[in-house]
Amino acid sequence: MYAQLVKTAGSGVKSREEMSENEQDFQNRVDADQKIEPKDWMPDDYRATLIRQIGQHAHSEIVGQLPEGNWITRAPTLERKAILLAKVQDEAGHGLYLYCAAETLGVTRDELTEELLSGRMKYSSIFNYPTLNWADIGAVGWLVDGAAIMNQVPLQRTSYGPYSRAMIRICKEESFHQRQGYDIMMKMAQGTDAQKKMAQDALNRLWYPSLMMFGPSDKDSVHSAQSLAWKIKIDTNDELRQRFVDQTVPQAKYLGLTIPDENLKWNEERGAHDYSDPNWSEFFDVIKGNGPCNTDRMNTRIKAWEDGAWVREGLMAHADKKAARKQAMTAAE
Amino acid sequence: MQDQDALFQFLLRMGDNTLVLGHRVSEWCGVSPVLEEDIALANTALDMIGQTQFWLGLAGEVEGKGRTADDLAFLRDVWDFRNVLLVELPNGDFGQTLMRQFLFDAWASIMLGHLMTSTDKRVADIAEKASKEVAYHVERSAGTVVGLGDGTPESHAKMQAALDLLYPYVGELFESDDVDAAMVSAGIAPDPASLRDAYDALIERVLTEATLTVPASKFTHKGGRTGYMHTEHLGHMLTQMQWLQRAYPGATW
């Protein structure tokens, strides 16, 4: 997932009469569930919105390595360390597919990176929360990847071909991650008193930030209609959040953990759980840069990028030399 | 020395090398110079941790005291570690990390080639699996050393500095002692000293292409593979790596 509050470009959904012929043809294809491919005509606003959405998702995969990397060197067993390494490697791979998908829209990975590092583009708010005990690594897999899957499964059907195909690959790996996360939680919840305490502590801290991952409530989500019409968003924020709550409640119960919400209860009439909204002012604070880890995360990424400049330059210079030598050899033959 | 004791020590040396280096490489998570390197470093670390599970798993079996690979990794103190000093040195910059990786991979690729014909089938099987991974590691680390050595003046200078810093730790890979003599006589592993020529030829070829100069002195720091004297760095690494197992003894993770 990892795309929240993506501002949809344009001035809202146009009626058929307001659309140009190209726009009408485009919308007809989207309505008929045909994929839009990079060389096809597309509205500028569609392109701009997709770049923001895919870029934000890619950035989230990259920054998302950090809270998990925080525990790789402290993983309690060799197997757990290997699983976590494999997961973080998958996430970097997801970032790579997504940057590639964004590149088909005419923006480079370096340009997107600059946007991230300058703060003009965002990543998911969830990664601005810390991972404080080992159960957090379980909870990140269970809740954060769980929430991500909830959003990404429908996006496999999104209208833009390269994005849809990236989502299909990503979803396969994410569901694996979620199962591994849940497995950590099981071990912790069935473990010693200290481990149970870690598990509950992780759930207490990560529950509401996980609910925030779906973005603001539909009534406050002004940009959704156009993105829904373009099928770059398939379900509304509240629909996805509800589905996530309904899926997660029995899982928490099975673990013997308590979701930190006194208002959480099954509503027979709605056939769904009633639950408390997260604190939206906290959410907007995090988005503005005031989350517990925003500064650390950005400084870490900026430092990595700056420290790595000589490596990127060195490897480029070598590639150029190699190409020049090859050319000289061909010329001499 | 009893054969089983010697085999146990030999297996610890193999497993501790991959454990400690795998851990060091994993410290790069999320902060490498470019996304492809994040993926490659995580992959390298993952392979090395996987190899550790095999080597230390077999070590525990050979020891016969019921210790698992995890017990050996997380519940021994510094003096019981048998890795060479090279792999426990801090990462430094990216160039230093990749130079250390290359100097190790070159040795591992030659060593594993010999171990594939070990008289101990368990050793030969692990070597066969690991050698496939290491063939890729050495190709990648050599390629990066060449790219950065023969890159910009800045990258060249950094790679030469990394080589100068790390080369005095290379010789320990080729030290021989009673453990090695026992392995040679049982046909389990080659004499480390016998691998040096092939190693020198390999690194000479790559470092020449990288326009780097191998230091003239063959002086070597040692003390890791015997456990006599590690660097100060290993203890700090273990405090982090072993923390959960030490703080919550007996828990299942």
Side-chain angles (χ1 to χ4, degrees), chain A residues 95-134:
Chain A
L96 201 54
Y97 313 150
L98 288 161
Y99 284 125
C100 290
E103 282 179 332
T104 65
L105 293 160
V107 61
T108 67
R109 199 204 308 177
D110 282 358
E111 284 165 349
L112 288 171
T113 301
E114 293 295 334
E115 295 272 311
L116 169 69
L117 298 183
S118 67
R120 289 191 298 275
M121 276 181 95
K122 303 288 183 203
Y123 52 90
S124 177
S125 57
I126 190 73
F127 301 118
N128 288 314
Y129 288 86
T131 50
L132 299 179
N133 81 57
W134 172 250

mmCIF file of all heavy atoms in Angstrom, chain A residues 95-134:
data_model
loop_
_atom_site.group_PDB
_atom_site.id
_atom_site.type_symbol
_atom_site.label_atom_id
_atom_site.label_comp_id
_atom_site.label_asym_id
_atom_site.label_seq_id
_atom_site.Cartn_x
_atom_site.Cartn_y
_atom_site.Cartn_z
ATOM 1 N N GLY A 95 10.408 -1.753 -4.245
ATOM 2 C CA GLY A 95 10.743 -0.370 -4.582
ATOM 3 C C GLY A 95 11.242 -0.289 -6.022
ATOM 4 O O GLY A 95 10.837 0.588 -6.787
ATOM 5 N N LEU A 96 12.076 -1.250 -6.377
ATOM 6 C CA LEU A 96 12.636 -1.265 -7.728
ATOM 7 C C LEU A 96 11.549 -1.445 -8.795
ATOM 8 O O LEU A 96 11.499 -0.704 -9.776
ATOM 9 C CB LEU A 96 13.676 -2.389 -7.811
ATOM 10 C CG LEU A 96 14.730 -2.311 -8.902
ATOM 11 C CD1 LEU A 96 15.472 -0.993 -8.872
ATOM 12 C CD2 LEU A 96 15.725 -3.466 -8.724
ATOM 13 N N TYR A 97 10.622 -2.417 -8.598
ATOM 14 C CA TYR A 97 9.557 -2.573 -9.616
ATOM 15 C C TYR A 97 8.749 -1.296 -9.728
ATOM 16 O O TYR A 97 8.321 -0.915 -10.798
ATOM 17 C CB TYR A 97 8.478 -3.612 -9.281
ATOM 18 C CG TYR A 97 8.811 -4.975 -8.789
ATOM 19 C CD1 TYR A 97 7.919 -5.636 -7.942
ATOM 20 C CD2 TYR A 97 9.956 -5.650 -9.192
ATOM 21 C CE1 TYR A 97 8.159 -6.903 -7.477
ATOM 22 C CE2 TYR A 97 10.195 -6.926 -8.724
ATOM 23 C CZ TYR A 97 9.301 -7.540 -7.859
ATOM 24 O OH TYR A 97 9.530 -8.806 -7.390
ATOM 25 N N LEU A 98 8.481 -0.687 -8.565
ATOM 26 C CA LEU A 98 7.583 0.478 -8.584
ATOM 27 C C LEU A 98 8.259 1.682 -9.237
ATOM 28 O O LEU A 98 7.620 2.413 -9.997
ATOM 29 C CB LEU A 98 7.128 0.805 -7.161
ATOM 30 C CG LEU A 98 6.119 -0.220 -6.610
ATOM 31 C CD1 LEU A 98 6.050 -0.151 -5.097
ATOM 32 C CD2 LEU A 98 4.732 0.010 -7.216
ATOM 33 N N TYR A 99 9.551 1.876 -8.949
ATOM 34 C CA TYR A 99 10.256 2.969 -9.637
ATOM 35 C C TYR A 99 10.255 2.704 -11.146
ATOM 36 O O TYR A 99 10.112 3.619 -11.944
ATOM 37 C CB TYR A 99 11.687 3.124 -9.122
ATOM 38 C CG TYR A 99 11.797 3.800 -7.766
ATOM 39 C CD1 TYR A 99 12.457 3.186 -6.705
ATOM 40 C CD2 TYR A 99 11.258 5.074 -7.547
ATOM 41 C CE1 TYR A 99 12.570 3.798 -5.456
ATOM 42 C CE2 TYR A 99 11.362 5.688 -6.305
ATOM 43 C CZ TYR A 99 12.015 5.046 -5.261
ATOM 44 O OH TYR A 99 12.120 5.654 -4.035
ATOM 45 N N CYS A 100 10.421 1.442 -11.513
ATOM 46 C CA CYS A 100 10.386 1.109 -12.948
ATOM 47 C C CYS A 100 9.011 1.419 -13.536
ATOM 48 O O CYS A 100 8.907 1.942 -14.649
ATOM 49 C CB CYS A 100 10.721 -0.360 -13.189
ATOM 50 S SG CYS A 100 12.434 -0.743 -12.859
ATOM 51 N N ALA A 101 7.958 1.084 -12.784
ATOM 52 C CA ALA A 101 6.596 1.384 -13.265
ATOM 53 C C ALA A 101 6.436 2.897 -13.420
ATOM 54 O O ALA A 101 5.868 3.389 -14.402
ATOM 55 C CB ALA A 101 5.550 0.826 -12.303
ATOM 56 N N ALA A 102 6.967 3.656 -12.460
ATOM 57 C CA ALA A 102 6.867 5.123 -12.536
ATOM 58 C C ALA A 102 7.667 5.657 -13.732
ATOM 59 O O ALA A 102 7.230 6.609 -14.399
ATOM 60 C CB ALA A 102 7.363 5.754 -11.234
ATOM 61 N N GLU A 103 8.792 5.018 -14.014
ATOM 62 C CA GLU A 103 9.621 5.487 -15.137
ATOM 63 C C GLU A 103 8.887 5.389 -16.475
ATOM 64 O O GLU A 103 9.126 6.188 -17.375
ATOM 65 C CB GLU A 103 10.947 4.704 -15.189
ATOM 66 C CG GLU A 103 11.929 5.203 -14.143
ATOM 67 C CD GLU A 103 13.269 4.463 -14.123
ATOM 68 O OE1 GLU A 103 13.302 3.280 -14.497
ATOM 69 O OE2 GLU A 103 14.265 5.090 -13.714
ATOM 70 N N THR A 104 7.955 4.434 -16.571
ATOM 71 C CA THR A 104 7.192 4.315 -17.826
ATOM 72 C C THR A 104 6.290 5.527 -18.037
ATOM 73 O O THR A 104 5.731 5.713 -19.108
ATOM 74 C CB THR A 104 6.313 3.041 -17.847
ATOM 75 O OG1 THR A 104 5.310 3.161 -16.826
ATOM 76 C CG2 THR A 104 7.122 1.783 -17.634
ATOM 77 N N LEU A 105 6.140 6.344 -17.001
ATOM 78 C CA LEU A 105 5.304 7.547 -17.118
ATOM 79 C C LEU A 105 6.152 8.781 -17.399
ATOM 80 O O LEU A 105 5.642 9.903 -17.404
ATOM 81 C CB LEU A 105 4.509 7.743 -15.821
ATOM 82 C CG LEU A 105 3.461 6.656 -15.559
ATOM 83 C CD1 LEU A 105 3.063 6.626 -14.088
ATOM 84 C CD2 LEU A 105 2.235 6.869 -16.436
ATOM 85 N N GLY A 106 7.465 8.581 -17.561
ATOM 86 C CA GLY A 106 8.304 9.707 -17.962
ATOM 87 C C GLY A 106 9.000 10.433 -16.829
ATOM 88 O O GLY A 106 9.333 11.610 -16.954
ATOM 89 N N VAL A 107 9.232 9.749 -15.713
ATOM 90 C CA VAL A 107 9.973 10.379 -14.624
ATOM 91 C C VAL A 107 11.082 9.397 -14.228
ATOM 92 O O VAL A 107 10.878 8.194 -14.285
ATOM 93 C CB VAL A 107 9.031 10.699 -13.431
ATOM 94 C CG1 VAL A 107 8.391 9.436 -12.869
ATOM 95 C CG2 VAL A 107 9.736 11.463 -12.329
ATOM 96 N N THR A 108 12.275 9.914 -13.895
ATOM 97 C CA THR A 108 13.359 8.988 -13.563
ATOM 98 C C THR A 108 13.373 8.667 -12.068
ATOM 99 O O THR A 108 12.815 9.413 -11.259
ATOM 100 C CB THR A 108 14.746 9.565 -13.927
ATOM 101 O OG1 THR A 108 14.984 10.684 -13.065
ATOM 102 C CG2 THR A 108 14.803 9.999 -15.378
ATOM 103 N N ARG A 109 14.070 7.589 -11.737
ATOM 104 C CA ARG A 109 14.193 7.210 -10.333
ATOM 105 C C ARG A 109 14.938 8.294 -9.557
ATOM 106 O O ARG A 109 14.573 8.621 -8.436
ATOM 107 C CB ARG A 109 14.934 5.876 -10.220
ATOM 108 C CG ARG A 109 14.702 5.199 -8.886
ATOM 109 C CD ARG A 109 15.790 4.231 -8.471
ATOM 110 N NE ARG A 109 16.121 3.226 -9.466
ATOM 111 C CZ ARG A 109 17.092 2.338 -9.284
ATOM 112 N NH1 ARG A 109 17.793 2.315 -8.173
ATOM 113 N NH2 ARG A 109 17.379 1.456 -10.220
ATOM 114 N N ASP A 110 15.981 8.854 -10.181
ATOM 115 C CA ASP A 110 16.735 9.905 -9.489
ATOM 116 C C ASP A 110 15.870 11.135 -9.213
ATOM 117 O O ASP A 110 15.974 11.754 -8.157
ATOM 118 C CB ASP A 110 17.975 10.308 -10.303
ATOM 119 C CG ASP A 110 19.103 9.281 -10.154
ATOM 120 O OD1 ASP A 110 18.919 8.305 -9.398
ATOM 121 O OD2 ASP A 110 20.154 9.458 -10.794
ATOM 122 N N GLU A 111 15.022 11.473 -10.183
ATOM 123 C CA GLU A 111 14.121 12.625 -9.959
ATOM 124 C C GLU A 111 13.182 12.353 -8.788
ATOM 125 O O GLU A 111 12.966 13.214 -7.930
ATOM 126 C CB GLU A 111 13.291 12.914 -11.218
ATOM 127 C CG GLU A 111 14.078 13.608 -12.313
ATOM 128 C CD GLU A 111 13.380 13.582 -13.680
ATOM 129 O OE1 GLU A 111 12.382 12.850 -13.869
ATOM 130 O OE2 GLU A 111 13.864 14.286 -14.569
ATOM 131 N N LEU A 112 12.649 11.146 -8.751
ATOM 132 C CA LEU A 112 11.737 10.806 -7.648
ATOM 133 C C LEU A 112 12.487 10.813 -6.317
ATOM 134 O O LEU A 112 11.957 11.255 -5.298
ATOM 135 C CB LEU A 112 11.097 9.432 -7.882
ATOM 136 C CG LEU A 112 10.044 9.374 -8.992
ATOM 137 C CD1 LEU A 112 9.643 7.922 -9.273
ATOM 138 C CD2 LEU A 112 8.804 10.188 -8.639
ATOM 139 N N THR A 113 13.729 10.324 -6.329
ATOM 140 C CA THR A 113 14.534 10.312 -5.100
ATOM 141 C C THR A 113 14.765 11.736 -4.595
ATOM 142 O O THR A 113 14.649 12.005 -3.398
ATOM 143 C CB THR A 113 15.876 9.597 -5.358
ATOM 144 O OG1 THR A 113 15.590 8.277 -5.797
ATOM 145 C CG2 THR A 113 16.727 9.538 -4.106
ATOM 146 N N GLU A 114 15.070 12.632 -5.538
ATOM 147 C CA GLU A 114 15.270 14.039 -5.143
ATOM 148 C C GLU A 114 14.003 14.604 -4.499
ATOM 149 O O GLU A 114 14.067 15.352 -3.527
ATOM 150 C CB GLU A 114 15.652 14.899 -6.368
ATOM 151 C CG GLU A 114 17.020 14.567 -6.964
ATOM 152 C CD GLU A 114 18.188 14.873 -6.027
ATOM 153 O OE1 GLU A 114 18.031 15.754 -5.158
ATOM 154 O OE2 GLU A 114 19.241 14.216 -6.135
ATOM 155 N N GLU A 115 12.858 14.240 -5.062
ATOM 156 C CA GLU A 115 11.582 14.726 -4.513
ATOM 157 C C GLU A 115 11.374 14.218 -3.084
ATOM 158 O O GLU A 115 10.888 14.929 -2.216
ATOM 159 C CB GLU A 115 10.408 14.231 -5.368
ATOM 160 C CG GLU A 115 10.383 14.788 -6.773
ATOM 161 C CD GLU A 115 9.630 16.103 -6.855
ATOM 162 O OE1 GLU A 115 8.507 16.171 -6.336
ATOM 163 O OE2 GLU A 115 10.191 17.061 -7.420
ATOM 164 N N LEU A 116 11.752 12.971 -2.873
ATOM 165 C CA LEU A 116 11.612 12.396 -1.528
ATOM 166 C C LEU A 116 12.538 13.119 -0.553
ATOM 167 O O LEU A 116 12.131 13.541 0.527
ATOM 168 C CB LEU A 116 11.954 10.899 -1.541
ATOM 169 C CG LEU A 116 12.091 10.239 -0.169
ATOM 170 C CD1 LEU A 116 10.740 10.158 0.538
ATOM 171 C CD2 LEU A 116 12.694 8.841 -0.274
ATOM 172 N N LEU A 117 13.798 13.260 -0.958
ATOM 173 C CA LEU A 117 14.795 13.791 -0.021
ATOM 174 C C LEU A 117 14.572 15.274 0.267
ATOM 175 O O LEU A 117 14.954 15.764 1.327
ATOM 176 C CB LEU A 117 16.210 13.545 -0.556
ATOM 177 C CG LEU A 117 16.578 12.061 -0.738
ATOM 178 C CD1 LEU A 117 18.020 11.915 -1.199
ATOM 179 C CD2 LEU A 117 16.357 11.248 0.533
ATOM 180 N N SER A 118 13.944 15.968 -0.669
ATOM 181 C CA SER A 118 13.663 17.386 -0.421
ATOM 182 C C SER A 118 12.360 17.555 0.348
ATOM 183 O O SER A 118 11.980 18.674 0.693
ATOM 184 C CB SER A 118 13.565 18.129 -1.752
ATOM 185 O OG SER A 118 12.411 17.670 -2.439
ATOM 186 N N GLY A 119 11.655 16.449 0.582
ATOM 187 C CA GLY A 119 10.408 16.520 1.350
ATOM 188 C C GLY A 119 9.185 16.848 0.507
ATOM 189 O O GLY A 119 8.086 16.971 1.040
ATOM 190 N N ARG A 120 9.372 16.998 -0.812
ATOM 191 C CA ARG A 120 8.205 17.323 -1.647
ATOM 192 C C ARG A 120 7.314 16.110 -1.866
ATOM 193 O O ARG A 120 6.127 16.237 -2.069
ATOM 194 C CB ARG A 120 8.650 17.903 -2.998
ATOM 195 C CG ARG A 120 9.229 19.310 -2.905
ATOM 196 C CD ARG A 120 9.396 19.937 -4.279
ATOM 197 N NE ARG A 120 10.328 19.203 -5.116
ATOM 198 C CZ ARG A 120 11.662 19.381 -5.094
ATOM 199 N NH1 ARG A 120 12.211 20.270 -4.285
ATOM 200 N NH2 ARG A 120 12.434 18.675 -5.896
ATOM 201 N N MET A 121 7.891 14.917 -1.828
ATOM 202 C CA MET A 121 7.064 13.704 -1.905
ATOM 203 C C MET A 121 7.106 13.001 -0.565
ATOM 204 O O MET A 121 8.089 13.087 0.164
ATOM 205 C CB MET A 121 7.588 12.765 -3.002
ATOM 206 C CG MET A 121 7.072 13.108 -4.383
ATOM 207 S SD MET A 121 7.693 11.939 -5.609
ATOM 208 C CE MET A 121 6.322 10.777 -5.655
ATOM 209 N N LYS A 122 6.019 12.287 -0.268
ATOM 210 C CA LYS A 122 5.900 11.622 1.034
ATOM 211 C C LYS A 122 6.053 10.110 0.890
ATOM 212 O O LYS A 122 6.066 9.574 -0.212
ATOM 213 C CB LYS A 122 4.510 11.895 1.619
ATOM 214 C CG LYS A 122 4.174 13.377 1.776
ATOM 215 C CD LYS A 122 4.958 13.978 2.906
ATOM 216 C CE LYS A 122 4.566 15.431 3.111
ATOM 217 N NZ LYS A 122 5.626 16.191 3.774
ATOM 218 N N TYR A 123 6.113 9.478 2.042
ATOM 219 C CA TYR A 123 6.012 8.015 2.118
ATOM 220 C C TYR A 123 4.981 7.740 3.192
ATOM 221 O O TYR A 123 4.552 8.660 3.902
ATOM 222 C CB TYR A 123 7.379 7.402 2.452
ATOM 223 C CG TYR A 123 8.030 8.007 3.668
ATOM 224 C CD1 TYR A 123 7.800 7.484 4.937
ATOM 225 C CD2 TYR A 123 8.831 9.145 3.559
ATOM 226 C CE1 TYR A 123 8.366 8.065 6.058
ATOM 227 C CE2 TYR A 123 9.404 9.728 4.677
ATOM 228 C CZ TYR A 123 9.166 9.184 5.924
ATOM 229 O OH TYR A 123 9.714 9.765 7.035
ATOM 230 N N SER A 124 4.589 6.477 3.334
ATOM 231 C CA SER A 124 3.495 6.168 4.259
ATOM 232 C C SER A 124 3.809 6.613 5.692
ATOM 233 O O SER A 124 4.920 6.400 6.200
ATOM 234 C CB SER A 124 3.214 4.670 4.254
ATOM 235 O OG SER A 124 2.207 4.377 5.201
ATOM 236 N N SER A 125 2.807 7.172 6.343
ATOM 237 C CA SER A 125 2.953 7.660 7.715
ATOM 238 C C SER A 125 3.415 6.563 8.681
ATOM 239 O O SER A 125 4.092 6.843 9.665
ATOM 240 C CB SER A 125 1.629 8.232 8.211
ATOM 241 O OG SER A 125 0.606 7.255 8.136
ATOM 242 N N ILE A 126 3.093 5.319 8.360
ATOM 243 C CA ILE A 126 3.378 4.225 9.308
ATOM 244 C C ILE A 126 4.871 4.119 9.619
ATOM 245 O O ILE A 126 5.265 3.735 10.717
ATOM 246 C CB ILE A 126 2.838 2.874 8.779
ATOM 247 C CG1 ILE A 126 2.906 1.776 9.840
ATOM 248 C CG2 ILE A 126 3.576 2.412 7.519
ATOM 249 C CD1 ILE A 126 1.902 1.899 10.940
ATOM 250 N N PHE A 127 5.709 4.465 8.638
ATOM 251 C CA PHE A 127 7.148 4.263 8.838
ATOM 252 C C PHE A 127 7.793 5.374 9.665
ATOM 253 O O PHE A 127 8.998 5.368 9.889
ATOM 254 C CB PHE A 127 7.853 4.052 7.497
ATOM 255 C CG PHE A 127 7.293 2.860 6.776
ATOM 256 C CD1 PHE A 127 6.680 2.984 5.545
ATOM 257 C CD2 PHE A 127 7.331 1.611 7.385
ATOM 258 C CE1 PHE A 127 6.125 1.887 4.917
ATOM 259 C CE2 PHE A 127 6.776 0.505 6.763
ATOM 260 C CZ PHE A 127 6.170 0.638 5.523
ATOM 261 N N ASN A 128 6.940 6.302 10.111
ATOM 262 C CA ASN A 128 7.433 7.317 11.040
ATOM 263 C C ASN A 128 7.200 6.915 12.491
ATOM 264 O O ASN A 128 7.378 7.724 13.399
ATOM 265 C CB ASN A 128 6.768 8.658 10.739
ATOM 266 C CG ASN A 128 7.319 9.214 9.438
ATOM 267 O OD1 ASN A 128 8.524 9.209 9.220
ATOM 268 N ND2 ASN A 128 6.438 9.673 8.565
ATOM 269 N N TYR A 129 6.784 5.660 12.678
ATOM 270 C CA TYR A 129 6.657 5.139 14.040
ATOM 271 C C TYR A 129 7.829 4.196 14.300
ATOM 272 O O TYR A 129 8.319 3.527 13.392
ATOM 273 C CB TYR A 129 5.319 4.408 14.205
ATOM 274 C CG TYR A 129 4.165 5.375 14.243
ATOM 275 C CD1 TYR A 129 3.570 5.817 13.066
ATOM 276 C CD2 TYR A 129 3.723 5.906 15.457
ATOM 277 C CE1 TYR A 129 2.531 6.744 13.093
ATOM 278 C CE2 TYR A 129 2.686 6.835 15.491
ATOM 279 C CZ TYR A 129 2.104 7.247 14.307
ATOM 280 O OH TYR A 129 1.100 8.173 14.343
ATOM 281 N N PRO A 130 8.277 4.148 15.553
ATOM 282 C CA PRO A 130 9.468 3.340 15.864
ATOM 283 C C PRO A 130 9.150 1.853 16.055
ATOM 284 O O PRO A 130 8.002 1.500 16.353
ATOM 285 C CB PRO A 130 9.935 3.935 17.190
ATOM 286 C CG PRO A 130 8.684 4.448 17.843
ATOM 287 C CD PRO A 130 7.775 4.886 16.728
ATOM 288 N N THR A 131 10.143 0.999 15.868
ATOM 289 C CA THR A 131 10.022 -0.415 16.247
ATOM 290 C C THR A 131 10.853 -0.600 17.526
ATOM 291 O O THR A 131 12.068 -0.510 17.507
ATOM 292 C CB THR A 131 10.571 -1.349 15.152
ATOM 293 O OG1 THR A 131 11.881 -0.916 14.758
ATOM 294 C CG2 THR A 131 9.674 -1.348 13.934
ATOM 295 N N LEU A 132 10.159 -0.832 18.639
ATOM 296 C CA LEU A 132 10.826 -0.751 19.940
ATOM 297 C C LEU A 132 11.123 -2.089 20.602
ATOM 298 O O LEU A 132 11.987 -2.164 21.473
ATOM 299 C CB LEU A 132 9.981 0.107 20.891
ATOM 300 C CG LEU A 132 9.765 1.552 20.421
ATOM 301 C CD1 LEU A 132 8.892 2.297 21.413
ATOM 302 C CD2 LEU A 132 11.094 2.262 20.240
ATOM 303 N N ASN A 133 10.365 -3.110 20.257
ATOM 304 C CA ASN A 133 10.714 -4.426 20.799
ATOM 305 C C ASN A 133 10.558 -5.453 19.691
ATOM 306 O O ASN A 133 10.003 -5.149 18.634
ATOM 307 C CB ASN A 133 9.903 -4.730 22.076
ATOM 308 C CG ASN A 133 8.506 -5.242 21.802
ATOM 309 O OD1 ASN A 133 8.335 -6.248 21.121
ATOM 310 N ND2 ASN A 133 7.496 -4.561 22.339
ATOM 311 N N TRP A 134 11.037 -6.665 19.917
ATOM 312 C CA TRP A 134 11.062 -7.662 18.831
ATOM 313 C C TRP A 134 9.663 -7.968 18.295
ATOM 314 O O TRP A 134 9.478 -8.243 17.110
ATOM 315 C CB TRP A 134 11.780 -8.942 19.295
ATOM 316 C CG TRP A 134 11.666 -10.039 18.289
ATOM 317 C CD1 TRP A 134 10.953 -11.188 18.402
ATOM 318 C CD2 TRP A 134 12.264 -10.087 16.973
ATOM 319 N NE1 TRP A 134 11.061 -11.946 17.262
ATOM 320 C CE2 TRP A 134 11.858 -11.294 16.368
ATOM 321 C CE3 TRP A 134 13.086 -9.219 16.253
ATOM 322 C CZ2 TRP A 134 12.254 -11.664 15.083
ATOM 323 C CZ3 TRP A 134 13.475 -9.586 14.960
ATOM 324 C CH2 TRP A 134 13.059 -10.788 14.396
#
